[in-house]
């Protein structure tokens, strides 16, 4: 069945360093890849997404890259700040009309001041 | 702003009880979703609904049912709660043709 693998499960970086989280999906028909951020005790919120017709997308300090051939996509956070500390989830979808998402297992990012 | 609310933040129930979790959204969204979130497993889709009275099984529907009688409300039902249903339950909604899913605050359910 459809599956999304996310690595690493935990990531600790110093403030100002970059952080990279990687996801691999199994279904080559997947065409939409969002990333959600969940701060402690709060609801997940979309931070960036990419569609399969685009290889890279940036929004200030965050960027997502997609390699369709290898079926993987990555989240890049530059100049990390303590407020970036959270759990990050990647997801993949091929059923655009229903919005069904398959989520990765999550990555807990800790940014040390 | 999209607002998705859930009926309870914390809930404690006994094994065998019937449990209702309610989700309400105020943005006239067609699509609504129920997920459970467990450490190391991410978010797993239980059921979703793409319109009123329509429902479709997600990846882990066993032990759950849903009801969507009105567009703004999507209920998750545990017919006979079991300890392995102790989890965080998240509801989400999405407008038809839109990309973003908006999540509720979650209900942390403990089944004793």
């Amino acid at each position: 069945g459809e599956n999304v693998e996310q690595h690493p499960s935990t990531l600790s970086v110093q403030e100002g360093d970059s952080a990279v989280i990687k996801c691999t999906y199994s279904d080559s028909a997947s065409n939409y890849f969002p990333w959600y951020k969940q701060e402690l005790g709060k609801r997940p919120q979309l931070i960036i997404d990419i569609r399969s017709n685009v290889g890279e997308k940036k929004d200030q300090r965050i960027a997502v890259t997609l390699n369709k051939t290898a079926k993987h996509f990555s989240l890049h956070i530059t100049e990390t700040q303590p407020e970036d500390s959270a759990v990050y989830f990647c997801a993949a979808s091929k059923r655009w009309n229903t919005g069904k998402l398959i989520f990765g297992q999550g990555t807990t990012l800790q940014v040390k001041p | 702003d999209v607002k998705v609310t859930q009926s309870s933040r914390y809930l404690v129930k006994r094994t065998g009880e019937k449990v209702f979790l309610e989700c309400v959204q105020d943005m006239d969204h067609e699509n609504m979703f129920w997920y459970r979130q467990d450490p190391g497993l991410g978010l797993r889709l239980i059921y979703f609904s793409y319109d009123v009275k329509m429902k479709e099984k997600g990846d882990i529907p066993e032990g759950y049912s849903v009801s969507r009688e009105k567009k703004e409300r999507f209920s998750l039902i545990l017919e006979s709660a079991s300890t392995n249903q102790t989890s965080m339950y998240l509801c989400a909604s999405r407008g038809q043709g839109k990309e973003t899913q908006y999540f509720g605050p979650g209900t942390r359910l403990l089944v004793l």
Side-chain angles (χ1 to χ4, degrees):
Chain A
E2 302 161 40
N3 187 45
V4 175
E5 293 289 331
Q6 182 172 346
H7 297 281
S9 56
T10 60
L11 181 58
S12 181
V13 299
Q14 286 296 134
E15 184 177 358
D17 287 351
S18 295
V20 181
I21 303 170
K22 298 181 179 181
C23 290
T24 304
Y25 59 98
S26 61
D27 193 333
S28 56
S30 297
N31 55 18
Y32 173 64
F33 308 92
W35 285 88
Y36 283 81
K37 175 184 180 182
Q38 185 178 30
E39 296 176 14
L40 190 62
K42 297 193 175 179
R43 67 192 75 193
Q45 291 194 305
L46 179 74
I47 54 171
I48 196 167
D49 56 11
I50 192 168
R51 297 196 66 83
S52 58
N53 58 348
V54 175
E56 184 175 1
K57 184 176 179 181
K58 286 184 181 179
D59 183 3
Q60 299 182 0
R61 295 187 297 108
I62 61 172
V64 57
T65 57
L66 172 65
N67 183 326
K68 286 191 294 183
T69 304
K71 292 190 289 186
H72 68 68
F73 57 111
S74 301
L75 178 71
H76 304 254
I77 306 174
T78 57
E79 300 172 22
T80 53
Q81 300 168 4
E83 52 264 38
D84 295 328
S85 296
V87 180
Y88 292 81
F89 294 99
C90 63
S93 172
K94 67 174 182 179
R95 296 182 62 185
W96 168 245
N97 59 329
T98 63
K100 181 182 176 184
L101 293 173
I102 306 297
F103 281 87
Q105 296 86 349
T107 296
T108 300
L109 173 64
Q110 182 186 28
V111 179
K112 298 178 183 177
Chain B
D1 272 354
V2 175
K3 188 173 252 185
V4 182
T5 57
Q6 295 183 227
S7 49
S8 305
R9 290 302 303 272
Y10 301 95
L11 212 50
V12 180
K13 295 292 181 182
R14 296 280 179 192
T15 303
E17 279 192 76
K18 192 169 186 176
V19 182
F20 293 87
L21 303 182
E22 293 217 315
C23 175
V24 177
Q25 48 91 7
D26 68 353
M27 285 302 293
D28 202 35
H29 283 172
E30 289 79 8
N31 305 152
M32 296 188 75
F33 309 83
W34 274 107
Y35 296 91
R36 65 177 280 176
Q37 181 178 7
D38 300 288
L41 297 178
L43 279 69
R44 293 180 292 165
L45 183 64
I46 304 171
Y47 266 97
F48 64 103
S49 168
Y50 42 90
D51 210 339
V52 178
K53 296 192 185 294
M54 309 296 275
K55 60 185 179 183
E56 192 166 329
K57 292 180 179 179
D59 301 313
I60 52 165
E62 298 78 17
Y64 304 94
S65 62
V66 290
S67 173
R68 183 113 182 256
E69 295 297 317
K70 293 185 177 181
K71 193 174 186 179
E72 67 270 18
R73 191 180 299 269
F74 191 34
S75 300
L76 179 70
I77 304 155
L78 286 66
E79 295 289 342
S80 178
S82 63
T83 54
N84 63 11
Q85 292 178 310
T86 290
S87 188
M88 169 69 86
Y89 290 88
L90 288 164
C91 173
S93 74
R94 186 193 82 139
Q96 189 65 32
K98 304 295 184 183
E99 293 175 328
T100 306
Q101 287 192 21
Y102 295 89
F103 283 85
T107 295
R108 189 167 291 282
L109 173 67
L110 173 62
V111 182
L112 300 174

